[in-house]
Amino acid sequence: MVTLHGFSSSNYYNVVKYVLQYKEVPHEEHLVYGGTEEWLSISPVGKVPALTTESGNHLSETVVICDYLEEVYLDKPLYPFGAEARAHVRQIMKVMELYLELPSRRLIPYAFSGMPAPDAVLADVKHVASRGIEAMKQLTGFTPHIAGDQFTLADVYVHYCNAVVQGIGSKIMDWDILAEIPGMREWNRNMRESDIARAIEADRIANEPEFHAYITQYMARSSVSDK
Ligand SMILES: N[C@@H](CCC(=O)N[C@@H](CS)C(=O)NCC(=O)O)C(=O)O
């Protein structure tokens, strides 16, 4: 049995949770929001999610965890055959992370505090996200899956990263980012329909009040930073 640490409102937590359920890996969930010394001994950077393996080792960083699961639990592979096809999947995930999710994530403090984001931050986020959009237009296929005809880790990863892009980036900037990438919104809607995605969404909704209480307390302790 492996243990997934984190909370259901985290998009990255949900990527790993999806993979565990998809591959039918026996697992338990350990609810943790981070922020303690003890947590740093499990997740060295202090981020959610982390995974404790069957042998008791701790792993963090979402794609690292998913790649580990892919190597150990061979049923239902989430990477295609062939180095180039696998690199394509990784490229989509990397572009999503660096040029769409992370810039949108910079706006989270403003979304939660209600304070306006400084113009310089907004301009930078827009600039980076524009590059991400152009890259995703080139890289994605939606035929019918994001990287082609096989369902891959990129489908899972991009779907949950889109939650931050749509719920934070698009909202704060009043800019429908996903609509800029042909096929993305329709594909994202379809991704919501699977039994696994529905169960994960139900858990996310159930976790929301507790997560909001946690984040409100956290924001009260730290001031908004534009780093
Ligand atoms: N690069 C990390 C990012 C994970 C991440 O940003 N997690 C958020 C929750 S969705 C978190 O732990 N935030 C708390 C913090 O940044 O201290 C990954 O891929 O797992």
Side-chain angles (χ1 to χ4, degrees):
M1 169 94 76
V2 301
T3 304
L4 173 62
H5 308 270
F7 54 90
S8 298
S9 295
S10 157
N11 58 320
Y12 288 118
Y13 180 84
N14 287 336
V15 172
V16 180
K17 186 162 159 178
Y18 193 113
V19 170
L20 288 168
Q21 294 193 18
Y22 182 79
K23 286 178 165 285
E24 297 177 38
V25 178
H27 64 280
E28 60 184 3
E29 292 180 66
H30 171 226
L31 177 67
V32 61
Y33 292 97
T36 62
E37 283 299 314
E38 187 198 356
W39 177 238
L40 291 177
S41 68
I42 293 177
S43 176
V45 183
K47 301 238 178 188
V48 159
L51 185 92
T52 303
T53 66
E54 290 188 44
S55 50
N57 288 315
H58 307 305
L59 299 173
S60 50
E61 292 299 326
T62 300
V63 176
V64 172
I65 297 170
C66 292
D67 283 356
Y68 165 81
L69 293 172
E70 182 75 5
E71 283 186 32
V72 174
Y73 303 93
L74 302 176
D75 280 352
K76 296 208 184 166
L78 281 166
Y79 280 99
F81 182 75
E84 290 190 10
R86 284 200 291 276
H88 180 222
V89 166
R90 292 197 179 96
Q91 191 178 357
I92 290 174
M93 294 193 291
K94 189 51 92 177
V95 165
M96 184 67 198
E97 178 191 13
L98 296 181
Y99 304 101
L100 289 166
E101 206 273 357
L102 283 174
S104 298
R105 182 168 286 274
R106 283 182 70 187
L107 302 175
I108 286 180
Y110 308 102
F112 279 103
S113 68
M115 285 173 69
D119 287 346
V121 173
L122 289 172
D124 194 40
V125 169
K126 260 189 193 138
H127 173 71
V128 178
S130 301
R131 297 178 75 177
I133 288 166
E134 290 311 310
M136 289 300 259
K137 281 191 201 167
Q138 268 194 43
L139 294 171
T140 54
F142 307 111
T143 54
H145 303 296
I146 198 161
D149 58 6
Q150 190 177 328
F151 184 77
T152 66
L153 186 58
D155 289 283
V156 182
Y157 190 82
V158 171
H159 176 60
Y160 288 105
C161 286
N162 275 347
V164 172
V165 174
Q166 202 166 27
I168 305 290
S170 284
K171 208 161 144 192
I172 297 273
M173 294 188 289
D174 196 19
W175 175 30
D176 193 342
I177 295 171
L178 301 190
E180 303 269 354
I181 303 160
M184 178 68 98
R185 275 169 63 181
E186 297 73 15
W187 165 88
N188 206 46
R189 259 200 304 274
N190 289 338
M191 281 292 298
R192 284 194 207 116
E193 299 302 322
S194 72
D195 289 346
I196 297 177
R198 283 174 192 274
I200 288 176
E201 178 62 5
D203 288 350
R204 186 193 69 77
I205 290 168
N207 175 244
E208 259 194 347
E210 196 179 292
F211 172 64
H212 273 266
Y214 168 80
I215 204 83
T216 306
Q217 254 187 2
Y218 179 85
M219 299 285 298
R221 276 189 269 120
S222 55
S223 57
V224 171
S225 135
D226 67 353
K227 276 186 282 180

